[in-house]
Amino acid sequence: MTVLNVISALFLLAGAGFCLAGTVGVLRFPDIYCRLHALTKVDNLGLGLVVVGLSLEAGSWATALKLFLVWFLVLISSAFTCQLIARAALRRGVGAWGGSRES
């Protein structure tokens, strides 16, 4: 194993760890707003780390660029989707968790 392989594996493991943490947050957090926050923030970081790890192992710059393009598109789409889901929940009267600050 080369040093590049080890660094790539560390990025992939860190990304998988963040994705697992996001999944645990979705299962454990009390309301939809907290769950959306956990899902979008942590999973986007996890995907970014996975993309960096895969890009280090990519055979060409074109492949690495495609991976980063996919990550960028996921970042944009998850932000819009999270905002739309939160707005729909707010319009339907879904309240926040009782322990959180409500404005």
Side-chain angles (χ1 to χ4, degrees), residues 1-10 12 56-57:
M1 281 189 105
T2 65
V3 175
L4 187 64
N5 288 344
V6 172
I7 293 171
S8 177
L10 290 175
L12 290 170
L56 292 174
E57 295 292 328

Side-chain angles (χ1 to χ4, degrees), residues 32-100:
I32 190 168
Y33 307 109
C34 293
R35 291 175 182 167
L36 284 172
H37 180 76
L39 186 64
T40 56
K41 303 297 183 206
V42 178
D43 281 351
N44 284 332
L45 178 61
L47 179 61
L49 292 172
V50 168
V51 165
V52 170
L54 290 175
S55 295
L56 292 174
E57 295 292 328
S60 67
W61 285 100
T63 303
L65 185 62
K66 288 176 189 176
L67 288 169
F68 279 104
L69 179 63
V70 167
W71 181 39
F72 178 71
L73 293 173
V74 169
L75 284 173
I76 292 172
S77 65
S78 69
F80 283 125
T81 304
C82 175
Q83 193 266 342
L84 290 173
I85 292 171
R87 186 187 325 172
L90 192 61
R91 285 183 178 169
R92 289 182 183 244
V94 176
W97 173 53
S100 65

